[in-house]
């Protein structure tokens, strides 16, 4: 009886979510966090496949978000997808200075 491989499981878990959630900052953040967490947890022989999926996410983000700021926001690894800083500091809430005329 055929049994799915690690690559089969990754494709099943990540491919459709990546495709359908490509324009969602939150989905991309959560997927990045998932891949990074798995890379740290799996045996060495499974890391290469996860690095491949990390690259697929980067390509998807580059294609789906037109501006640099959007790409940067979507590229953050965040399990909740909210992009909120872990520590609430006044520095996190500073607005850019207005340019003088």
């Amino acid at each position: 009886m055929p049994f799915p491989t690690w690559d089969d499981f990754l494709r099943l878990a990540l491919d459709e979510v990546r495709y359908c959630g490509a324009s969602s900052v939150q989905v991309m953040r959560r997927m990045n966090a998932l891949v990074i967490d798995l890379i740290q947890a799996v045996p060495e022989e499974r890391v290469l496949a996860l690095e491949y999926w990390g690259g697929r996410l980067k390509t998807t983000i580059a294609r789906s978000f037109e501006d640099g700021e959007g790409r940067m926001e979507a590229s953050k690894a965040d399990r909740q997808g909210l992009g909120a800083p872990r520590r609430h500091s006044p520095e996190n809430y500073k607005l850019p200075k207005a340019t003088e005329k």
Side-chain angles (χ1 to χ4, degrees), residues 10-85:
L10 289 177
R11 181 172 300 280
L12 177 65
L14 301 175
D15 208 24
E16 191 170 344
V17 175
R18 180 190 57 83
Y19 178 77
C20 293
S23 63
S24 170
V25 172
Q26 291 82 9
V27 170
M28 294 296 102
R29 287 176 179 167
R30 293 181 88 170
M31 289 188 74
N32 273 310
L34 172 66
V35 170
I36 289 168
D37 288 349
L38 283 173
I39 285 172
Q40 295 172 358
V42 300
E44 185 65 32
E45 63 271 10
R46 294 187 172 179
V47 170
L48 189 60
L50 288 164
E51 289 173 345
Y52 166 80
W53 282 100
R56 295 286 307 263
L57 284 172
K58 287 179 184 175
T59 301
T60 299
I61 290 167
R63 185 180 60 240
S64 300
F65 296 89
E66 294 179 13
D67 64 39
E69 188 174 345
R71 284 190 297 275
M72 185 176 69
E73 288 297 318
S75 296
K76 293 178 182 178
D78 178 0
R79 286 182 180 182
Q80 293 183 343
L82 302 174

